[in-house]
Amino acid sequence: LVQALQLQGGGDVAQAPPDPREPRSVAAAPLACPAPSGAALPVLPLSASSYDQLRECPYRFFALRQLGLQDDSELDVDIDKRDWGTWLHAVLRSFHEALQGAPGADRVALLDAAAQQTTREQGLDEEPGEFLPFMAAWPGLRRDYLQWLAAHEAGGAAFEAAEQAIDVQRGPLQLRGRIDRIDRLADGTPLLIDYKTEALQKTKDRAKAGSEDTQLPFYALLAGGEAPRALYLNLAERETPSAHEMPDLPALAALLYDGMSEDVARIRAGAPLPALGEGSVCDWCEARGLCRKDFWKA
């Protein structure tokens, strides 16, 4: 339209009007790393993911959790690995709850029924072609999972609950989370299980991370004082299911509790929450446009 307005009769291009703007010089002023205070904002309740954000980058915790900011995500119609993980969590919950009610039922048929029901409920049957790459791996994973489950139960473990939502007060901390699965071992000890559909090596690294890992120690704090055990169950679509238990869980849970309590007290006392600007966390951070990392002074 602007170009059309510049045209006059006969196709001649009109003389452009003078630019009223005046050029001026602006001195470069790189930004400093922000370090706000979150003392006046809510800190609790804490979840495993929110505390991970605090450990990875305090400014990210400030922006996304305390201020409650969110980005407007684009409409995504493609089915990706996250959808596969959500689907698999729902399938296993449906299967194990059905198996509780009918322990003598055919397990393959029960698991297939759970898969079909979940596919319908999540609308994945409307675009079967997009989910096909994941479903191609399902028969092998189904077979391997049932084999793993048989060996797991042979050791005395029994399914107790799935997708257990817990909101609990532990001393000064309000903790909130959802445990993927809780089994009961032969001696009565609860076994907390977190499903992972990520690459197998990543799950192995989590189990070996000790105090650097948040999720399973956080699960232990949610579950309470029964001295539970916890493991990651890797269910990558092209891997054999494998369990990776977190050693020294009670000690790690105690360390995590002390660290969370200290961090909450510091935030409430006005300690700054700086943007760390380190590592791969920044590559996918929703708050990167707020902290302005790319414009910090060297």
Side-chain angles (χ1 to χ4, degrees):
L1 292 176
V2 173
Q3 290 177 335
L5 289 173
Q6 292 177 347
L7 296 177
Q8 294 188 349
D12 295 333
V13 178
Q15 184 72 26
D19 190 340
R21 297 172 297 178
E22 296 182 1
R24 62 189 180 95
S25 299
V26 178
L31 302 176
C33 170
S37 168
L41 297 169
V43 184
L44 301 174
L46 284 176
S47 65
S49 60
S50 67
Y51 190 62
D52 261 339
Q53 287 181 343
L54 179 60
R55 298 178 84 177
E56 291 168 348
C57 177
Y59 185 88
R60 189 183 186 200
F61 176 84
F62 168 77
L64 303 183
R65 297 294 175 167
Q66 292 194 282
L67 293 180
L69 302 178
Q70 296 181 3
D71 60 345
D72 287 330
S73 56
E74 297 181 5
L75 184 61
D76 187 5
V77 297
D78 294 330
I79 296 174
D80 57 21
K81 190 139 186 171
R82 178 176 297 182
D83 297 302
W84 161 256
T86 301
W87 179 86
L88 189 56
H89 277 66
V91 167
L92 293 179
R93 175 181 184 174
S94 178
F95 165 70
H96 280 287
E97 289 177 348
L99 190 61
Q100 269 187 320
D106 181 274
R107 294 190 170 194
V108 174
L110 213 57
L111 193 49
D112 274 341
Q116 294 167 9
Q117 176 186 348
T118 303
T119 301
R120 289 193 301 270
E121 290 175 348
Q122 296 185 359
L124 297 173
D125 56 341
E126 298 174 4
E127 296 290 343
E130 293 189 18
F131 201 50
L132 185 60
F134 296 105
M135 288 306 297
W138 171 241
L141 180 58
R142 177 193 61 201
R143 179 198 63 235
D144 293 342
Y145 177 76
L146 290 176
Q147 290 176 354
W148 174 87
L149 180 62
H152 180 61
E153 292 174 333
F159 171 82
E160 186 170 285
E163 304 297 329
Q164 190 78 23
I166 300 176
D167 194 330
V168 68
Q169 192 76 29
R170 299 284 182 228
L173 300 178
Q174 183 186 358
L175 307 179
R176 179 176 296 169
R178 183 181 299 273
I179 299 176
D180 288 351
R181 173 170 157 188
I182 302 175
D183 284 6
R184 188 71 59 172
L185 299 176
D187 61 0
T189 301
L191 176 65
L192 314 178
I193 298 177
D194 187 67
Y195 299 133
K196 292 298 180 189
T197 56
E198 63 197 7
L200 177 58
Q201 188 57 50
K202 190 171 182 179
T203 301
K204 291 180 178 179
D205 292 341
R206 288 180 188 273
K208 296 176 181 177
S211 61
E212 296 299 314
D213 183 78
T214 299
Q215 194 158 6
L216 291 185
F218 194 93
Y219 270 14
L221 293 175
L222 286 177
E226 296 182 310
R229 292 165 56 186
L231 59 82
Y232 290 118
L233 180 57
N234 183 272
L235 297 170
E237 68 266 26
R238 304 204 180 274
E239 297 282 357
T240 301
S242 55
H244 306 270
E245 186 166 354
M246 175 77 69
D248 302 321
L249 185 65
L252 293 174
L255 284 174
L256 180 64
Y257 177 83
D258 290 343
M260 288 192 296
S261 300
E262 181 180 347
D263 288 339
V264 167
R266 292 179 67 250
I267 292 172
R268 286 174 169 169
L273 297 170
L276 298 182
E278 298 175 358
S280 60
V281 173
C282 291
D283 294 340
W284 309 105
C285 180
E286 306 93 322
R288 182 163 178 160
L290 296 177
C291 78
R292 311 281 288 173
K293 173 189 175 181
D294 298 303
F295 302 93
W296 295 351
K297 60 185 178 182

